mmCIF file of all heavy atoms in Angstrom:
data_model
loop_
_atom_site.group_PDB
_atom_site.id
_atom_site.type_symbol
_atom_site.label_atom_id
_atom_site.label_comp_id
_atom_site.label_asym_id
_atom_site.label_seq_id
_atom_site.Cartn_x
_atom_site.Cartn_y
_atom_site.Cartn_z
ATOM 1 N N ALA A 1666 89.014 132.177 55.149
ATOM 2 C CA ALA A 1666 87.637 131.504 55.034
ATOM 3 C C ALA A 1666 87.451 130.993 53.631
ATOM 4 O O ALA A 1666 86.881 129.927 53.378
ATOM 5 C CB ALA A 1666 86.561 132.409 55.619
ATOM 6 N N GLU A 1667 87.841 131.939 52.646
ATOM 7 C CA GLU A 1667 87.496 131.587 51.279
ATOM 8 C C GLU A 1667 88.269 130.344 50.863
ATOM 9 O O GLU A 1667 87.758 129.535 49.967
ATOM 10 C CB GLU A 1667 87.994 132.700 50.401
ATOM 11 C CG GLU A 1667 89.472 133.068 50.453
ATOM 12 C CD GLU A 1667 89.931 134.090 49.413
ATOM 13 O OE1 GLU A 1667 89.746 133.680 48.177
ATOM 14 O OE2 GLU A 1667 90.480 135.123 49.789
ATOM 15 N N HIS A 1668 89.527 130.062 51.433
ATOM 16 C CA HIS A 1668 90.258 128.932 51.019
ATOM 17 C C HIS A 1668 89.603 127.589 51.544
ATOM 18 O O HIS A 1668 89.432 126.683 50.997
ATOM 19 C CB HIS A 1668 91.685 129.110 51.558
ATOM 20 C CG HIS A 1668 92.344 130.247 51.124
ATOM 21 N ND1 HIS A 1668 92.483 130.682 49.746
ATOM 22 C CD2 HIS A 1668 92.965 131.263 51.864
ATOM 23 C CE1 HIS A 1668 93.109 131.768 49.699
ATOM 24 N NE2 HIS A 1668 93.383 132.298 50.937
ATOM 25 N N VAL A 1669 89.178 127.703 52.780
ATOM 26 C CA VAL A 1669 88.470 126.587 53.416
ATOM 27 C C VAL A 1669 87.207 126.239 52.708
ATOM 28 O O VAL A 1669 86.863 125.101 52.384
ATOM 29 C CB VAL A 1669 88.210 126.926 54.937
ATOM 30 C CG1 VAL A 1669 87.240 125.675 55.523
ATOM 31 C CG2 VAL A 1669 89.381 127.091 55.730
ATOM 32 N N LYS A 1670 86.482 127.338 52.315
ATOM 33 C CA LYS A 1670 85.165 127.134 51.614
ATOM 34 C C LYS A 1670 85.422 126.532 50.252
ATOM 35 O O LYS A 1670 84.670 125.520 49.907
ATOM 36 C CB LYS A 1670 84.537 128.525 51.403
ATOM 37 C CG LYS A 1670 83.150 128.528 50.708
ATOM 38 C CD LYS A 1670 82.613 129.890 50.665
ATOM 39 C CE LYS A 1670 81.189 129.908 50.057
ATOM 40 N NZ LYS A 1670 80.604 131.248 50.007
ATOM 41 N N PHE A 1671 86.409 126.943 49.552
ATOM 42 C CA PHE A 1671 86.612 126.367 48.226
ATOM 43 C C PHE A 1671 87.023 124.873 48.357
ATOM 44 O O PHE A 1671 86.433 123.988 47.608
ATOM 45 C CB PHE A 1671 87.770 127.192 47.443
ATOM 46 C CG PHE A 1671 88.095 126.551 46.109
ATOM 47 C CD1 PHE A 1671 87.440 126.960 45.057
ATOM 48 C CD2 PHE A 1671 89.097 125.523 45.999
ATOM 49 C CE1 PHE A 1671 87.821 126.460 43.718
ATOM 50 C CE2 PHE A 1671 89.525 125.027 44.727
ATOM 51 C CZ PHE A 1671 88.715 125.430 43.636
ATOM 52 N N LEU A 1672 88.028 124.578 49.236
ATOM 53 C CA LEU A 1672 88.511 123.167 49.356
ATOM 54 C C LEU A 1672 87.440 122.256 49.936
ATOM 55 O O LEU A 1672 87.283 121.099 49.504
ATOM 56 C CB LEU A 1672 89.718 123.176 50.234
ATOM 57 C CG LEU A 1672 90.912 123.871 49.659
ATOM 58 C CD1 LEU A 1672 91.998 123.898 50.707
ATOM 59 C CD2 LEU A 1672 91.455 123.166 48.476
ATOM 60 N N SER A 1673 86.506 122.775 50.793
ATOM 61 C CA SER A 1673 85.412 121.964 51.364
ATOM 62 C C SER A 1673 84.399 121.551 50.276
ATOM 63 O O SER A 1673 83.887 120.551 50.342
ATOM 64 C CB SER A 1673 84.738 122.741 52.504
ATOM 65 O OG SER A 1673 85.631 122.948 53.511
ATOM 66 N N ARG A 1674 84.187 122.579 49.311
ATOM 67 C CA ARG A 1674 83.340 122.192 48.218
ATOM 68 C C ARG A 1674 83.967 121.389 47.098
ATOM 69 O O ARG A 1674 83.236 120.897 46.301
ATOM 70 C CB ARG A 1674 82.657 123.520 47.609
ATOM 71 C CG ARG A 1674 81.845 124.306 48.646
ATOM 72 C CD ARG A 1674 81.320 125.541 48.037
ATOM 73 N NE ARG A 1674 80.358 126.215 48.855
ATOM 74 C CZ ARG A 1674 79.779 127.380 48.561
ATOM 75 N NH1 ARG A 1674 80.078 128.052 47.421
ATOM 76 N NH2 ARG A 1674 78.965 127.883 49.399
ATOM 77 N N ASN A 1675 85.179 121.329 47.133
ATOM 78 C CA ASN A 1675 85.904 120.595 46.006
ATOM 79 C C ASN A 1675 86.963 119.569 46.537
ATOM 80 O O ASN A 1675 88.066 119.582 46.168
ATOM 81 C CB ASN A 1675 86.622 121.593 45.116
ATOM 82 C CG ASN A 1675 85.709 122.560 44.473
ATOM 83 O OD1 ASN A 1675 85.096 122.262 43.397
ATOM 84 N ND2 ASN A 1675 85.594 123.730 45.025
ATOM 85 N N GLU A 1676 86.424 118.759 47.469
ATOM 86 C CA GLU A 1676 87.305 117.761 48.096
ATOM 87 C C GLU A 1676 87.860 116.776 47.024
ATOM 88 O O GLU A 1676 88.992 116.137 47.275
ATOM 89 C CB GLU A 1676 86.545 117.023 49.193
ATOM 90 C CG GLU A 1676 86.259 117.927 50.452
ATOM 91 C CD GLU A 1676 85.580 117.081 51.524
ATOM 92 O OE1 GLU A 1676 84.946 116.081 51.241
ATOM 93 O OE2 GLU A 1676 85.627 117.550 52.650
ATOM 94 N N VAL A 1677 87.180 116.551 45.966
ATOM 95 C CA VAL A 1677 87.676 115.699 44.924
ATOM 96 C C VAL A 1677 88.928 116.234 44.291
ATOM 97 O O VAL A 1677 89.824 115.342 43.897
ATOM 98 C CB VAL A 1677 86.606 115.434 43.771
ATOM 99 C CG1 VAL A 1677 86.310 116.831 43.062
ATOM 100 C CG2 VAL A 1677 87.003 114.407 42.776
ATOM 101 N N LEU A 1678 89.185 117.503 44.419
ATOM 102 C CA LEU A 1678 90.442 117.995 43.850
ATOM 103 C C LEU A 1678 91.587 117.608 44.795
ATOM 104 O O LEU A 1678 92.752 117.320 44.325
ATOM 105 C CB LEU A 1678 90.365 119.557 43.682
ATOM 106 C CG LEU A 1678 89.333 119.936 42.583
ATOM 107 C CD1 LEU A 1678 89.289 121.434 42.593
ATOM 108 C CD2 LEU A 1678 89.686 119.440 41.251
ATOM 109 N N ILE A 1679 91.377 117.657 46.108
ATOM 110 C CA ILE A 1679 92.380 117.270 47.061
ATOM 111 C C ILE A 1679 92.767 115.732 46.858
ATOM 112 O O ILE A 1679 93.837 115.380 46.854
ATOM 113 C CB ILE A 1679 91.865 117.446 48.496
ATOM 114 C CG1 ILE A 1679 91.520 118.948 48.703
ATOM 115 C CG2 ILE A 1679 93.037 117.094 49.512
ATOM 116 C CD1 ILE A 1679 91.018 119.285 50.101
ATOM 117 N N SER A 1680 91.677 114.858 46.607
ATOM 118 C CA SER A 1680 91.862 113.521 46.316
ATOM 119 C C SER A 1680 92.629 113.361 45.098
ATOM 120 O O SER A 1680 93.581 112.500 44.909
ATOM 121 C CB SER A 1680 90.481 112.772 46.172
ATOM 122 O OG SER A 1680 89.735 112.832 47.425
ATOM 123 N N ALA A 1681 92.380 114.117 44.006
ATOM 124 C CA ALA A 1681 93.175 114.141 42.874
ATOM 125 C C ALA A 1681 94.606 114.433 42.999
ATOM 126 O O ALA A 1681 95.573 113.835 42.422
ATOM 127 C CB ALA A 1681 92.607 115.096 41.757
ATOM 128 N N LEU A 1682 94.879 115.459 43.923
ATOM 129 C CA LEU A 1682 96.233 115.774 44.291
ATOM 130 C C LEU A 1682 96.934 114.526 44.975
ATOM 131 O O LEU A 1682 98.052 114.274 44.809
ATOM 132 C CB LEU A 1682 96.317 117.011 45.077
ATOM 133 C CG LEU A 1682 97.731 117.491 45.617
ATOM 134 C CD1 LEU A 1682 98.721 117.686 44.449
ATOM 135 C CD2 LEU A 1682 97.604 118.642 46.566
ATOM 136 N N GLY A 1683 96.138 113.963 45.855
ATOM 137 C CA GLY A 1683 96.704 112.704 46.588
ATOM 138 C C GLY A 1683 96.987 111.671 45.589
ATOM 139 O O GLY A 1683 98.004 110.983 45.837
ATOM 140 N N TYR A 1684 96.214 111.432 44.578
ATOM 141 C CA TYR A 1684 96.482 110.430 43.525
ATOM 142 C C TYR A 1684 97.868 110.749 42.815
ATOM 143 O O TYR A 1684 98.667 109.817 42.671
ATOM 144 C CB TYR A 1684 95.379 110.482 42.486
ATOM 145 C CG TYR A 1684 95.717 109.620 41.271
ATOM 146 C CD1 TYR A 1684 95.549 108.182 41.276
ATOM 147 C CD2 TYR A 1684 96.163 110.282 39.992
ATOM 148 C CE1 TYR A 1684 95.931 107.454 40.178
ATOM 149 C CE2 TYR A 1684 96.443 109.415 38.991
ATOM 150 C CZ TYR A 1684 96.376 108.097 39.025
ATOM 151 O OH TYR A 1684 96.716 107.411 37.976
ATOM 152 N N LEU A 1685 98.117 112.066 42.611
ATOM 153 C CA LEU A 1685 99.388 112.404 41.940
ATOM 154 C C LEU A 1685 100.545 111.963 42.942
ATOM 155 O O LEU A 1685 101.624 111.520 42.475
ATOM 156 C CB LEU A 1685 99.376 113.880 41.616
ATOM 157 C CG LEU A 1685 98.335 114.338 40.587
ATOM 158 C CD1 LEU A 1685 98.549 115.875 40.371
ATOM 159 C CD2 LEU A 1685 98.520 113.631 39.292
ATOM 160 N N LEU A 1686 100.340 112.295 44.212
ATOM 161 C CA LEU A 1686 101.435 111.891 45.214
ATOM 162 C C LEU A 1686 101.657 110.484 45.300
ATOM 163 O O LEU A 1686 102.755 109.934 45.282
ATOM 164 C CB LEU A 1686 101.104 112.497 46.592
ATOM 165 C CG LEU A 1686 101.237 114.066 46.697
ATOM 166 C CD1 LEU A 1686 100.396 114.485 47.946
ATOM 167 C CD2 LEU A 1686 102.582 114.493 46.643
ATOM 168 N N ALA A 1687 100.456 109.659 45.290
ATOM 169 C CA ALA A 1687 100.594 108.246 45.392
ATOM 170 C C ALA A 1687 101.272 107.635 44.208
ATOM 171 O O ALA A 1687 102.044 106.763 44.267
ATOM 172 C CB ALA A 1687 99.198 107.651 45.732
ATOM 173 N N LYS A 1688 100.767 108.071 42.988
ATOM 174 C CA LYS A 1688 101.275 107.600 41.710
ATOM 175 C C LYS A 1688 102.733 107.876 41.609
ATOM 176 O O LYS A 1688 103.551 106.980 41.175
ATOM 177 C CB LYS A 1688 100.520 108.326 40.593
ATOM 178 C CG LYS A 1688 100.778 107.718 39.250
ATOM 179 C CD LYS A 1688 100.238 106.345 39.085
ATOM 180 C CE LYS A 1688 100.351 105.805 37.673
ATOM 181 N NZ LYS A 1688 99.910 104.451 37.396
ATOM 182 N N ARG A 1689 103.201 109.029 42.017
ATOM 183 C CA ARG A 1689 104.616 109.337 41.988
ATOM 184 C C ARG A 1689 105.367 108.524 42.924
ATOM 185 O O ARG A 1689 106.467 108.022 42.621
ATOM 186 C CB ARG A 1689 104.883 110.826 42.335
ATOM 187 C CG ARG A 1689 106.310 111.312 42.347
ATOM 188 C CD ARG A 1689 106.510 112.713 42.636
ATOM 189 N NE ARG A 1689 107.904 113.097 42.764
ATOM 190 C CZ ARG A 1689 108.670 113.386 41.637
ATOM 191 N NH1 ARG A 1689 108.080 113.341 40.327
ATOM 192 N NH2 ARG A 1689 109.999 113.669 41.712
ATOM 193 N N ALA A 1690 104.789 108.182 44.176
ATOM 194 C CA ALA A 1690 105.523 107.325 45.110
ATOM 195 C C ALA A 1690 105.799 105.907 44.547
ATOM 196 O O ALA A 1690 106.847 105.418 44.881
ATOM 197 C CB ALA A 1690 104.665 107.252 46.380
ATOM 198 N N ILE A 1691 104.879 105.392 43.746
ATOM 199 C CA ILE A 1691 105.061 104.011 43.335
ATOM 200 C C ILE A 1691 105.728 103.909 41.911
ATOM 201 O O ILE A 1691 105.941 102.754 41.433
ATOM 202 C CB ILE A 1691 103.681 103.164 43.327
ATOM 203 C CG1 ILE A 1691 102.670 103.894 42.351
ATOM 204 C CG2 ILE A 1691 103.152 103.119 44.692
ATOM 205 C CD1 ILE A 1691 101.396 103.010 42.286
ATOM 206 N N THR A 1692 105.947 105.125 41.233
ATOM 207 C CA THR A 1692 106.525 105.067 39.954
ATOM 208 C C THR A 1692 107.858 105.897 39.813
ATOM 209 O O THR A 1692 108.527 105.782 38.870
ATOM 210 C CB THR A 1692 105.624 105.597 38.946
ATOM 211 O OG1 THR A 1692 105.135 106.988 39.169
ATOM 212 C CG2 THR A 1692 104.225 104.764 38.897
ATOM 213 N N CYS A 1693 108.181 106.718 40.821
ATOM 214 C CA CYS A 1693 109.353 107.570 40.659
ATOM 215 C C CYS A 1693 110.629 106.772 40.717
ATOM 216 O O CYS A 1693 110.644 105.644 41.095
ATOM 217 C CB CYS A 1693 109.362 108.611 41.837
ATOM 218 S SG CYS A 1693 109.688 107.960 43.476
ATOM 219 N N ASP A 1694 111.663 107.396 40.167
ATOM 220 C CA ASP A 1694 113.004 106.705 40.124
ATOM 221 C C ASP A 1694 113.642 106.713 41.596
ATOM 222 O O ASP A 1694 113.672 107.706 42.210
ATOM 223 C CB ASP A 1694 113.938 107.611 39.236
ATOM 224 C CG ASP A 1694 115.273 106.950 39.134
ATOM 225 O OD1 ASP A 1694 116.102 107.049 40.163
ATOM 226 O OD2 ASP A 1694 115.527 106.430 37.974
ATOM 227 N N LEU A 1695 113.798 105.457 41.975
ATOM 228 C CA LEU A 1695 114.281 105.345 43.398
ATOM 229 C C LEU A 1695 115.587 105.806 43.707
ATOM 230 O O LEU A 1695 115.824 106.383 44.801
ATOM 231 C CB LEU A 1695 114.222 103.837 43.745
ATOM 232 C CG LEU A 1695 112.876 103.182 44.102
ATOM 233 C CD1 LEU A 1695 112.989 101.711 44.564
ATOM 234 C CD2 LEU A 1695 112.084 103.984 45.104
ATOM 235 N N LEU A 1696 116.470 105.837 42.714
ATOM 236 C CA LEU A 1696 117.730 106.515 42.949
ATOM 237 C C LEU A 1696 117.641 108.015 43.166
ATOM 238 O O LEU A 1696 118.321 108.494 44.072
ATOM 239 C CB LEU A 1696 118.701 106.111 41.709
ATOM 240 C CG LEU A 1696 120.170 106.586 41.936
ATOM 241 C CD1 LEU A 1696 120.729 105.883 43.100
ATOM 242 C CD2 LEU A 1696 121.075 106.200 40.620
ATOM 243 N N ASP A 1697 116.752 108.596 42.387
ATOM 244 C CA ASP A 1697 116.512 110.024 42.608
ATOM 245 C C ASP A 1697 115.896 110.320 44.016
ATOM 246 O O ASP A 1697 116.246 111.328 44.618
ATOM 247 C CB ASP A 1697 115.533 110.609 41.476
ATOM 248 C CG ASP A 1697 116.207 110.674 40.128
ATOM 249 O OD1 ASP A 1697 117.473 110.541 40.053
ATOM 250 O OD2 ASP A 1697 115.524 110.793 39.137
ATOM 251 N N LEU A 1698 115.046 109.425 44.321
ATOM 252 C CA LEU A 1698 114.335 109.649 45.696
ATOM 253 C C LEU A 1698 115.451 109.459 46.721
ATOM 254 O O LEU A 1698 115.497 110.244 47.742
ATOM 255 C CB LEU A 1698 113.252 108.604 45.871
ATOM 256 C CG LEU A 1698 112.491 108.689 47.215
ATOM 257 C CD1 LEU A 1698 111.677 109.919 47.399
ATOM 258 C CD2 LEU A 1698 111.449 107.468 47.357
ATOM 259 N N LYS A 1699 116.273 108.424 46.703
ATOM 260 C CA LYS A 1699 117.327 108.196 47.706
ATOM 261 C C LYS A 1699 118.134 109.407 47.691
ATOM 262 O O LYS A 1699 118.618 109.840 48.818
ATOM 263 C CB LYS A 1699 118.105 106.965 47.327
ATOM 264 C CG LYS A 1699 119.216 106.612 48.234
ATOM 265 C CD LYS A 1699 119.857 105.358 47.747
ATOM 266 C CE LYS A 1699 120.991 104.997 48.752
ATOM 267 N NZ LYS A 1699 121.762 103.722 48.299
ATOM 268 N N ASN A 1700 118.711 109.941 46.599
ATOM 269 C CA ASN A 1700 119.641 111.040 46.503
ATOM 270 C C ASN A 1700 119.034 112.233 47.116
ATOM 271 O O ASN A 1700 119.686 113.004 47.792
ATOM 272 C CB ASN A 1700 120.118 111.216 45.131
ATOM 273 C CG ASN A 1700 121.045 110.204 44.617
ATOM 274 O OD1 ASN A 1700 121.692 109.462 45.463
ATOM 275 N ND2 ASN A 1700 121.209 109.914 43.343
ATOM 276 N N SER A 1701 117.752 112.465 46.802
ATOM 277 C CA SER A 1701 117.048 113.615 47.366
ATOM 278 C C SER A 1701 116.992 113.519 48.861
ATOM 279 O O SER A 1701 117.287 114.643 49.557
ATOM 280 C CB SER A 1701 115.663 113.731 46.817
ATOM 281 O OG SER A 1701 114.858 114.831 47.414
ATOM 282 N N TYR A 1702 116.650 112.419 49.387
ATOM 283 C CA TYR A 1702 116.617 112.172 50.880
ATOM 284 C C TYR A 1702 117.979 112.467 51.558
ATOM 285 O O TYR A 1702 118.080 113.163 52.504
ATOM 286 C CB TYR A 1702 116.082 110.815 51.191
ATOM 287 C CG TYR A 1702 116.126 110.575 52.659
ATOM 288 C CD1 TYR A 1702 115.067 110.992 53.456
ATOM 289 C CD2 TYR A 1702 117.157 109.989 53.323
ATOM 290 C CE1 TYR A 1702 115.026 110.817 54.864
ATOM 291 C CE2 TYR A 1702 117.184 109.831 54.732
ATOM 292 C CZ TYR A 1702 116.121 110.228 55.409
ATOM 293 O OH TYR A 1702 116.197 110.059 56.742
ATOM 294 N N LEU A 1703 119.096 111.885 50.890
ATOM 295 C CA LEU A 1703 120.439 112.133 51.459
ATOM 296 C C LEU A 1703 120.888 113.566 51.427
ATOM 297 O O LEU A 1703 121.529 114.021 52.294
ATOM 298 C CB LEU A 1703 121.417 111.160 50.677
ATOM 299 C CG LEU A 1703 121.195 109.652 50.819
ATOM 300 C CD1 LEU A 1703 122.155 108.879 49.930
ATOM 301 C CD2 LEU A 1703 121.367 109.308 52.314
ATOM 302 N N THR A 1704 120.404 114.199 50.391
ATOM 303 C CA THR A 1704 120.735 115.699 50.295
ATOM 304 C C THR A 1704 120.063 116.439 51.390
ATOM 305 O O THR A 1704 120.689 117.326 52.131
ATOM 306 C CB THR A 1704 120.406 116.298 48.927
ATOM 307 O OG1 THR A 1704 120.994 115.590 47.890
ATOM 308 C CG2 THR A 1704 120.603 117.848 48.855
ATOM 309 N N VAL A 1705 118.809 116.153 51.663
ATOM 310 C CA VAL A 1705 118.036 116.728 52.751
ATOM 311 C C VAL A 1705 118.683 116.428 54.053
ATOM 312 O O VAL A 1705 118.825 117.283 55.065
ATOM 313 C CB VAL A 1705 116.567 116.405 52.792
ATOM 314 C CG1 VAL A 1705 115.942 116.736 54.054
ATOM 315 C CG2 VAL A 1705 115.893 116.959 51.599
#
Side-chain angles (χ1 to χ4, degrees):
E1667 62 170 300
H1668 307 304
V1669 174
K1670 184 176 181 181
F1671 178 88
L1672 293 172
S1673 297
R1674 289 180 176 179
N1675 297 278
E1676 291 181 340
V1677 65
L1678 296 174
I1679 305 177
S1680 297
L1682 177 59
Y1684 169 80
L1685 297 181
L1686 290 166
K1688 189 71 175 176
R1689 180 177 176 82
I1691 64 175
T1692 59
C1693 69
D1694 185 284
L1695 281 187
L1696 188 57
D1697 288 347
L1698 181 64
K1699 178 180 180 179
N1700 289 337
S1701 174
Y1702 177 84
L1703 293 176
T1704 300
V1705 169

